[in-house]
Amino acid sequence: MWIMQRRRAVALALQGGGAHGAFSAGIVDRLLETGLAPDRVSGVSSGALIGTMLAQGWAGGGPEGAREAVKRLWERVAEAHAASGLSNGPLARWLWGADLSRNPLWKGVETAMRLFSPEQLNPLGHNPLRPLISELLDRSLLASHAAPRLIVAATDVETGAPVLFRNEEITAEVLLASACLPFLFPPVEIEGRILWDGAYSANPPLQPLLRPDLPDELVLIRAQPRRRPGRPGTQAEILNRQNEIAFQRALEVELVMLPRSIRLTNYEPDEALAALPISSKLNAEENVMRALFAAGRETVRKREGASRGVAAS
């Protein structure tokens, strides 16, 4: 079992973004490759999945174990997506890339979401992520003293407050709750609390990362564009932009309250993600995952190059 050798206290905060989480995973991969050693991690939705794999992978094999676990997550997501039927064929990929909006099955899903609630469409609460998460989750590693401290957030539907889960409390149902978008899935109930996606209340939670002691650095990886050019035209575009704005609000409040002694390293997704179609957030095709992962790694490389340029001058 790998024991972390801590020098500086580094907190890692991971936003959610559906399939765009592969972009965040690419950033995490490059940061781990170049020496990132977080002793505390928080995440919601896809960020919660990445944070969980990172924490248990680190406990089992240090930074390389964490990199392998995060990569395996997105490989399995792509495999599950390939079996779903919600994929573009070769010609459609050539014509429209990551855009699923012309896919007949996607059109049917979009129409159904406008007419029926998730509980009407899916009364048994089927979620394709459940078997995948159950397969990958290793709760013994996650609860190990070698794992970074992990906080996963979901949102209490009745109060609107964030509900926080820590290493030993994290189960497949907790991760499904953290990623439960209410227009796609019925809410997840855990110990009598009805839960939705954590991004509605904390995207991701920062305050728990500041206790019991302040970190020296906070690395924030965003997966929701802060600025999206143009006017939303369709119902899907309007709903998506509403969610993006709402998902940023809680985070911006927490950032204002961040102590000045903490160095903030902020990775923005706008250049890589803002021009992508809305449907790409649900497109987990292997080629899309690989492209987003590579874009995340390139985002870090660009910052490294800029830093070297500043140092040289």
Side-chain angles (χ1 to χ4, degrees):
M1 185 171 289
W2 184 278
I3 305 298
M4 291 185 69
Q5 300 296 319
R6 295 188 178 95
R7 291 178 292 176
R8 297 174 67 248
V10 178
L12 175 64
L14 298 155
Q15 272 195 338
H20 290 178
F23 170 78
S24 301
I27 292 177
V28 167
D29 184 71
R30 178 60 181 171
L31 291 176
L32 290 170
E33 184 180 39
T34 55
L36 176 71
D39 67 319
R40 60 197 81 179
V41 181
S42 74
V44 299
S45 195
S46 59
L49 295 175
I50 294 168
T52 299
M53 294 301 108
L54 184 156
Q56 69 180 43
W58 191 293
E64 287 305 311
R67 291 181 66 199
E68 180 59 33
V70 171
K71 283 182 181 177
R72 181 59 180 155
L73 166 68
W74 291 100
E75 288 171 356
R76 290 291 290 111
V77 168
E79 289 169 8
H81 182 87
S84 71
L86 192 62
S87 301
N88 284 328
L91 178 60
R93 289 194 197 103
W94 180 73
L95 290 171
W96 304 307
D99 190 357
L100 290 175
S101 63
R102 295 173 176 84
N103 182 296
L105 182 55
W106 167 262
K107 287 182 178 294
V109 169
E110 196 174 31
T111 300
M113 287 192 301
R114 287 199 295 266
L115 297 174
F116 304 101
S117 75
E119 291 190 269
Q120 290 173 307
L121 292 171
N122 185 10
L124 298 179
H126 171 72
N127 189 317
L129 287 176
R130 182 174 281 108
L132 184 156
I133 294 172
S134 298
E135 172 198 332
L136 295 178
L137 183 64
D138 188 328
R139 297 188 65 198
S140 61
L141 281 177
L142 201 57
S144 161
H145 66 280
R149 181 157 54 90
L150 177 63
I151 301 102
V152 166
T155 300
D156 188 308
V157 175
E158 295 179 304
T159 67
V163 181
L164 305 180
F165 300 90
R166 292 167 173 80
N167 295 58
E168 66 280 357
E169 302 169 320
I170 294 168
T171 64
E173 291 305 300
V174 166
L175 294 173
L176 290 173
S178 183
C180 181
L181 288 170
F183 52 86
L184 287 178
F185 302 108
V188 177
E189 186 170 335
I190 298 177
E191 296 182 354
R193 304 186 81 166
I194 304 168
L195 303 175
W196 274 345
D197 195 300
Y200 288 108
S201 56
N203 191 27
L206 302 185
Q207 289 301 311
L209 297 175
L210 310 184
R211 299 188 294 267
D213 59 311
L214 294 179
D216 300 299
E217 181 180 6
L218 170 62
V219 178
L220 171 62
I221 301 179
R222 298 176 185 259
Q224 300 279 350
R226 284 201 279 180
R227 177 178 176 79
R228 185 178 289 278
R231 178 185 298 181
T234 67
Q235 284 185 321
E237 289 171 346
I238 292 169
L239 177 61
N240 176 75
R241 191 56 185 150
Q242 281 179 327
N243 280 330
E244 286 179 338
I245 293 169
F247 287 169
Q248 299 287 7
R249 192 166 300 149
L251 173 62
E252 297 304 330
V253 170
E254 289 202 82
L255 286 174
V256 168
M257 298 188 297
L258 197 68
R260 293 185 179 182
S261 62
I262 299 174
R263 176 187 175 188
L264 175 63
T265 302
N266 186 19
Y267 288 93
E268 298 278 1
D270 294 48
E271 181 179 345
L273 302 182
L276 292 178
I278 306 308
S279 62
S280 66
K281 290 185 177 182
L282 297 177
N283 188 345
E285 293 174 9
E286 183 180 1
N287 63 310
V288 176
M289 297 290 93
R290 289 183 181 276
L292 289 170
F293 190 87
R297 286 182 56 86
E298 183 60 24
T299 295
V300 182
R301 286 199 185 97
K302 285 181 180 179
R303 174 166 291 192
E304 292 168 351
S307 297
R308 285 194 293 268
V310 170
S313 62

